[in-house]
Structures are given as C-alpha cells and as structure tokens.
Amino acid sequence: MDLAAWRRFARAALANPAAVGAIAPSSRSLAHAMVDWIDWPNARTVLEFGPGTGVFTQYILERLPPGGRLIAIELDPRLARDLQQRFPDALVIHGNVADAPDLCRPHGVTHADAVLSGLPWAAFKPHLQHACLEALLALLRPSGQFATFAYLQGLLLPAGKRFAALLDERFPHVSRSPTVWANLPPALIYRCRR
C-alpha cells in the first residue's frame, strides 16, 4: 500500500477509531482472499460495505464483469469523496450501512449478487450488528454471496462470537477461509451464501 493510502487510513482511524476498527489497512493478501471466492461471471451488482481506503474496491473493480456495477457505502465523508475520485467506475455513497436499502434505492439498486464487507463487526454493539446484517440481507439475492473478514483476536471477543452466531443463524452456508497471516493483524474470511 502506498504512503497516501496509509495517510488516509491514519486520518480516518484517528478521527473515529471505533468506526475504523483496525490498526492498519487491509493487505493485498487479504484483499485477494476476499475477492477470489466470489462467482464473478454472475456478479452483475456488487455492494461493498465499509470500503475505507479502497484496498478491496480496486480488486472488486478488476474482477467485475463487463456491464457489472459496484456500489460502495462508506460512513466517513472524506474517505467516500476520496474513493469516488480514485474509482470513478464505482458509485460511492456516503452513509451508514444500516440504511443500505434506502441509500441504494434512488440509484436503481434493490438487489445485489454479492456483498463484500470491510466493516469491523466485532467492534459493533449488538443492535448495530443486527441492523447492518438485516440491511445486507434485505439486498442480497437468493443464492447471493457475502464475504467479510475477522481478525483472529476478535474471534475470542463476545461481539466476535455473537457475530459468528448471527451468520450461522441467517445463512444456510457459512465457511471460514484459512488464516491470512500476511495481514496486520492476521485474519480469516467468512464466506456466506444464501
């Protein structure tokens, strides 16, 4: 990751550490592991929740099939503006993921084939975990795919355990990737299918 991306990350983390929920931007290794699992030939509409500095955004756009569409929802207004300038082929919406259906509807998006998330789920209180997950489920098509990651140490926290249980309750198919050690901190990916 370049120096400008680190500066963007540091600025956002200092302004709102709870919303960022990370000590470093996601690595390229984690980004590859996130996007590799998606069924890209059938991904016409893709949502990205919490794109942050755009590490995943870049790889999503590279994999998106011709005619595909990426809509990214970012809470930090400065990051959202920066992402829209850096990735003009994506639609970046400034807002809360919990409001995703309402944010997407004016843009003609009522369903998504895949959702990729960089949100810090283990840092969220129960009501926010529920609200964001319900918004995601309201948009994800039957047989749609959802990928998000968790830091290894977060799996032991009550909120991390609660989030894993929520995924098992709401998705018939949930698997975990091998640990991505080339990330700070190491992480794994939840791969969920409706």
Side-chain angles (χ1 to χ4, degrees), residues 61-146:
L61 288 170
E62 288 173 2
R63 299 287 185 91
L64 205 60
R69 189 171 184 198
L70 171 61
I71 297 92
I73 300 175
E74 173 56 49
L75 185 61
D76 184 298
R78 184 179 283 177
L79 287 176
R81 281 192 308 271
D82 179 66
L83 286 166
Q84 190 62 78
Q85 290 174 353
R86 289 176 46 227
F87 301 108
D89 291 338
L91 170 63
V92 181
I93 301 172
H94 167 243
N96 191 319
V97 165
D99 301 321
D102 292 334
L103 294 171
C104 291
R105 196 173 298 112
H107 303 283
V109 176
T110 57
H111 292 92
D113 302 300
V115 179
L116 293 93
S117 172
L119 295 177
W121 296 97
F124 290 172
K125 301 231 182 277
H127 72 278
L128 187 54
Q129 281 185 346
H130 283 275
C132 292
L133 199 52
E134 291 307 315
L136 182 153
L137 290 168
L139 289 165
L140 191 62
R141 291 186 191 281
S143 78
Q145 296 175 282
F146 170 53

